[in-house]
Amino acid sequence: MRYIEHDIVVKRMNGRNVVNKLFKSIFLLATLSALLALVILLYQIVSQGASHLSIDFLTNFASRFPAEAGIKAALVGSIWLMLVVAPTSIILGVGSAIYLEEYAGKNRITTFIQMNISNLAGVPSVVFGLLGLTIFVRALALGNSILAAGFTMSLLILPVIIVASQEAIRSVPGELRDASYGMGATKWQTIVRIILPAAIPGILTGSILALSRAIGETAPLIVVGVPVIIQFLPEGVMDTFTALPMQIYDWSSRPQQEFQQVAAAGIIVLMSVLLLMNSVAVFIRNKFEKRY
Amino acid sequence: MSTTQAINNRSKTAGLEQESSQATSTSSVYDTKQLNLWYGDNHALKNIDLDIKQNEVTAIIGPSGCGKSTYLKTLNRMVELVPNVKTSGQIMYRGRNIFDKDYSVEELRTRVGMVFQKPNPFPKSIYDNIAYGPRIHGIKNKKILDEIVEKSLRGAAIWDEVKDRLNENAYSISGGQQQRICIARALAIEPDVILMDEPTSALDPISTLKIEELVQELKKDYSIIIVTHNMQQAARISDKTAFFLNGEVIEYDNTDTIFSNPSDKRTEDYISGRFG
Ligand SMILES: Nc1ncnc2c1ncn2[C@@H]1O[C@H](COP(=O)(O)OP(=O)(O)O)[C@@H](O)[C@H]1O
Ligand SMILES: [Mg+2]
């Protein structure tokens, strides 16, 4: 007696193929609708803002007159912000990930820490703003400086960097660790010479994506008290500053129609920065393609 | 190390007539006494007694899960990387108990090299793979590193195949070549003992043959302990064979004796393929 009747299988084949095709179209549709939304958004912004884009726009400070309004202070401010956020969050994040993956034992305390890191990744950014206001702006008396805002942003993206780095470290094959320990390497030598080099593509891609989140965040900056209208460039991390999303938010909330175009031009600049960061991430991922 | 060398030299100059007396007096590298090991509640090694001799190939055979890899990993204390491992008993390596509190695992592992089941070169150049061990032990001089790399690759019989591509990634060569790179990498720390855990199980027959020949060559200078589930391989390349079953050593003797005239019924059953 046979369990698989081939004739029946062939007869049912048509129905199976139809279902197969149906789902394929549904998924294609889902992808296309996301793509469509993106295209519409880009079209709107570019058609609104392109007319205002110019070298002057990049080199002018903010102004009451839309025609003269420029993004210089915000662009430079955002770069300063990143100069604080990138080292702070990457050093702390990768350090925590190394500790959790390589040193910490698997006990209740580490499970608790791990769970809270994942939870922190989901906390709204306004809450991090309040934390920054209490700790950095007030308690440590850093005021509304680049340093205070940078530390606040670092806290915001730290959980994401930790989780991404942990995953990158975990994906390094155990056989490589064994080979290193088997030759008498210490844990630290194994981490520095084997694990980190193999994990760096993953760590960097995760970190850059986290940084591009930080560069687009507004809420924590508002809470920390970062001003909008600034007519000078910061000279150090203790100076105050403004950032791209703050500036864009300000322009878009002004009544004059012309400022909407200025805001759109600002968005184009912000998106270009994001695109640049993401291409760096893709470049790193391709360049260090893994070989095992 | 110097005593090893001295003994090597002596046995080379000793001549044929003294060969038999030499054989009986060869010193042991590893003397395992009443070793027990638990993974949590799993009693994986039970009262192991094994005396492993210098400049011999000792094969460890037995069915899957009988504790062969566990025993091998205990010899260089790699097993301690597994959480919740407990041991009791002694393993005397060259007269010192490796479980002594003041015996550093790093020191032990520079004397005892290991080759794993699956070739596991680092994702680095062939040169950097071989130089890894010497570098972590503090050798920075480029000329010395060059010499060690060449010597080790020659020792693993792969120098001619890779000498023009030392800067290529170690993953660009075949699996069999990768495994010999791993052997060369272990030789580069100038070990006394080489542990091999089924080093040919992932390889094709020709690569397997090359590694078996290499093992024969290496035993002149090193003591080799090799786990294998391939009994023909054990018979071909080893001097002594230990048969493991359910975490116990059932029989340990000269390979010829084990394969032609085993004293335990279970050994005979296993060897004749009645289980395993
Ligand atoms: N990392 C580990 N954690 C827990 N138990 C293990 C581990 N490795 C091996 N064991 C157990 O120890 C016993 C012996 O395993 P192993 O030494 O790998 O056998 P073999 O190499 O002879 O196939 C098995 O029962 C196995 O399940
Ligand atoms: Mg095994």
Side-chain angles (χ1 to χ4, degrees), chain A residues 173-187 189-191 193-194 197-198 290-292, chain B residues 78 81 106 109-110 112-114 116 118 120-124 132-133 135-137 169 171-172 185 189:
Chain A
E175 291 100 53
L176 299 185
R177 289 183 177 78
D178 290 346
S180 176
Y181 289 130
M183 267 179 291
T186 60
K187 188 167 244 180
Q189 288 175 320
T190 305
I191 290 172
R193 291 167 191 245
I194 303 299
K290 289 187 227 169
R291 296 291 288 272
Y292 34 78
Chain B
M78 286 288 279
L81 295 176
E106 288 82 19
R109 292 173 192 159
T110 57
V112 182
M114 189 163 207
F116 299 83
K118 193 173 145 234
N120 60 350
F122 300 124
K124 300 173 184 284
Y132 183 79
R135 278 180 177 144
I136 58 172
H137 297 300
N169 193 296
Y171 282 83
S172 64
R185 185 176 62 184
I189 54 171

Side-chain angles (χ1 to χ4, degrees), chain B residues 5-20:
Chain B
Q5 242 106 51
I7 291 165
N8 281 344
N9 292 338
R10 188 147 49 86
S11 61
K12 268 170 206 148
T13 52
L16 270 175
E17 58 283 326
Q18 276 175 26
E19 194 106 72
S20 55

